[in-house]
Amino acid sequence: MITKLTSSFRLIRFFNSLSSSSSIVFCETLDFGVRKKTSMAEEVAENVKAVPVSEDELYGFKRSEMYSGTLAGSVGPYGRHVFLCYKSHETWLPRVETEGLPQRFAKSFKDRKADFGVETKLTVCGGGESDGDVLIFPEMVRYKAIQDTDVDAFVEDVLVKGKPWTSGVQEELSGSFVFVCAHGSRDKRCGVCGPVLMEKFLQEIGSRGLSEKIVVLPCSHIGGHKYAGNLIVFSPDSAGNVSGHWYGYVTPDDVPAMLDQHIGKGEIIQNLSRGGMRLRPIGEEAEKEDEHKIPNGNSVVVEAREPVDQKGFTGGCCQGANGVSCCQEQAPEPVKKEGSMKLNWLRSMGKEEVLLGAAAVSAIATIAVAYSIYRRSG
């Protein structure tokens, strides 16, 4: 025991005789040894925190909410979609409809929403050198360079009355159009997913030699941030009819199917479908198409209307709860005059019923005349 104690004192004296630099080395080693023994769990936790979670896991295609929502029916049917080309999607405000040309269009749409012949949506798309151009679907028409001072007259003539726009340049569109929501200032999920999808589309389109037939453009918020990537495809079917269809939860892996199945064959990808424009009407409704037709375009698709909630409208420029709705309220039935009601009543009677009624009236008239003669002779 004494020997061990003496050895311990010798060890202490040895360390005390070390130089100052050696003492520092010793302290560092001792400190490292203590941390290693007592703080391993904390050190691992700190290392985990030091590795940032990728944007893809927070906002992109690997986020936990992917495929958790119900896509079907998240977009109601409508008849017409107007896209206003305006600046770059990277410079858009969170509410792009609160400035400049989009603001003018949004206000005009709101003021005239009751006068549109079909339910119409307004969305902003990337412009650049095409600022002020207006694309209208399913008519497949482009109006060039609309100015602020032109907006009200343009909406009145083209969208309300269906007249040619004589104050601007008009051209017909061809091919297919893909609008990808890339409104990053409005929602980070669209800002992360949108540009990646556009890049993938351009790669696949280029490799297939379809650059002259398919146009890909960024667009503003179209509703349903949680469904990002969001996009709308306008493409003609085998009969040449154009209809817009909305998709959600689209990833880069889905792009080839979008090109081959939807655009190539006209087949809807059901598991990614959110809904879209109305189907082409049939029967009597088809005869009314010319009533809502834009010059040099295809007929606007029209269906029997459902009542519109006038308390709070959704959709519009950004298709969100605070957007602008262009739905037409259902007009009340006109008050019928008495004369027309009698005429309709007579028309509703069968031929035999009319003849019987006429015979009865004639008999009554004959009796009345006979009675009158009888009284005179008396």
Side-chain angles (χ1 to χ4, degrees):
M1 183 68 180
I2 296 175
T3 303
K4 293 180 179 179
L5 183 60
T6 303
S7 300
S8 298
F9 278 121
R10 289 177 180 174
L11 184 61
I12 293 173
R13 289 180 61 189
F14 169 75
F15 283 120
N16 287 338
S17 64
L18 292 176
S19 64
S20 58
S21 61
S22 298
S23 297
I24 294 175
V25 172
F26 168 74
C27 291
E28 289 176 349
T29 305
L30 179 63
D31 182 61
F32 175 80
V34 172
R35 280 172 44 197
K36 187 174 182 179
K37 290 180 181 179
T38 62
S39 304
M40 181 63 72
E42 294 179 3
E43 185 175 350
V44 171
E46 289 178 1
N47 290 336
V48 170
K49 292 179 181 180
V51 179
V53 179
S54 68
E55 282 195 338
D56 199 23
E57 293 176 342
L58 289 176
Y59 308 108
F61 305 108
K62 294 182 180 179
R63 64 187 190 278
S64 60
E65 69 178 359
M66 282 288 286
Y67 310 111
S68 62
T70 301
L71 291 173
S74 59
V75 174
Y78 63 106
R80 180 169 57 195
H81 208 141
V82 177
F83 287 84
L84 169 64
C85 299
Y86 182 73
K87 296 185 178 180
S88 168
H89 68 281
E90 297 175 346
T91 65
W92 289 340
L93 296 175
R95 302 281 178 176
V96 66
E97 72 277 15
T98 60
E99 69 165 355
L101 196 58
Q103 185 180 41
R104 292 283 300 175
F105 265 92
K107 183 181 184 304
S108 187
F109 265 58
K110 182 178 180 181
D111 292 342
R112 302 307 305 273
K113 64 185 178 69
D115 301 321
F116 289 130
V118 294
E119 183 179 346
T120 303
K121 294 183 183 294
L122 172 66
T123 302
V124 175
C125 67
E129 297 180 357
S130 300
D131 279 5
D133 285 9
V134 176
L135 316 179
I136 306 178
F137 299 92
E139 293 80 10
M140 297 291 285
V141 176
R142 179 201 302 268
Y143 288 91
K144 304 279 289 184
I146 305 299
Q147 303 296 319
D148 286 4
T149 54
D150 299 329
V151 173
D152 291 338
F154 174 83
V155 171
E156 171 72 19
D157 290 346
V158 178
L159 301 181
V160 175
K161 297 181 178 179
K163 295 180 179 179
W165 178 240
T166 57
S167 299
V169 180
Q170 172 188 326
E171 63 182 28
E172 293 187 35
L173 301 174
S174 61
S176 300
F177 286 76
V178 180
F179 294 92
V180 182
C181 182
H183 199 167
S185 64
R186 181 72 179 271
D187 188 85
K188 189 66 177 289
R189 287 164 290 191
C190 295
V192 171
C193 296
V196 176
L197 282 177
M198 287 191 295
E199 182 178 357
K200 181 63 175 178
F201 264 106
L202 294 176
Q203 290 176 353
E204 293 292 331
I205 290 171
S207 66
R208 288 168 166 77
L210 299 174
S211 299
E212 300 298 322
K213 298 181 179 180
I214 303 175
V215 177
V216 180
L217 292 171
C219 71
S220 62
H221 173 56
I222 55 177
H225 300 300
K226 62 183 178 181
Y227 301 130
N230 285 305
L231 57 87
I232 310 174
V233 179
F234 293 91
S235 183
D237 59 19
S238 58
N241 299 318
V242 176
S243 179
H245 205 85
W246 299 42
Y247 288 105
Y249 293 141
V250 181
T251 71
D253 293 336
D254 299 315
V255 171
M258 289 287 171
L259 296 175
D260 297 336
Q261 183 173 330
H262 185 117
I263 295 178
K265 300 178 181 179
E267 300 174 357
I268 303 300
I269 303 175
Q270 296 296 339
N271 65 314
L272 301 176
S273 172
R274 295 185 59 188
M277 285 185 166
R278 293 179 174 89
L279 298 177
R280 183 170 294 279
I282 58 177
E284 294 181 1
E285 289 295 330
E287 298 176 359
K288 300 179 181 179
E289 284 188 348
D290 289 338
E291 296 179 7
H292 304 297
K293 191 172 184 180
I294 290 182
N296 297 333
N298 297 325
S299 297
V300 177
V301 181
V302 183
E303 271 191 0
R305 292 197 159 275
E306 296 180 357
V308 177
D309 182 3
Q310 299 182 20
K311 294 181 180 179
F313 46 77
T314 59
C317 187
C318 284
Q319 311 311 327
N322 296 319
V324 179
S325 173
C326 304
C327 306
Q328 181 183 19
E329 288 88 347
Q330 188 175 16
E333 288 292 329
V335 178
K336 298 180 179 179
K337 296 182 179 180
E338 184 179 358
S340 62
M341 292 179 66
K342 290 180 179 179
L343 181 59
N344 290 334
W345 174 75
L346 288 173
R347 288 177 177 173
S348 66
M349 295 176 64
K351 184 176 181 180
E352 294 181 359
E353 293 174 331
V354 173
L355 292 176
L356 289 174
V361 171
S362 178
I364 293 172
T366 301
I367 293 172
V369 171
Y371 179 73
S372 176
I373 294 173
Y374 167 76
R375 290 195 63 181
R376 288 175 185 176
S377 64

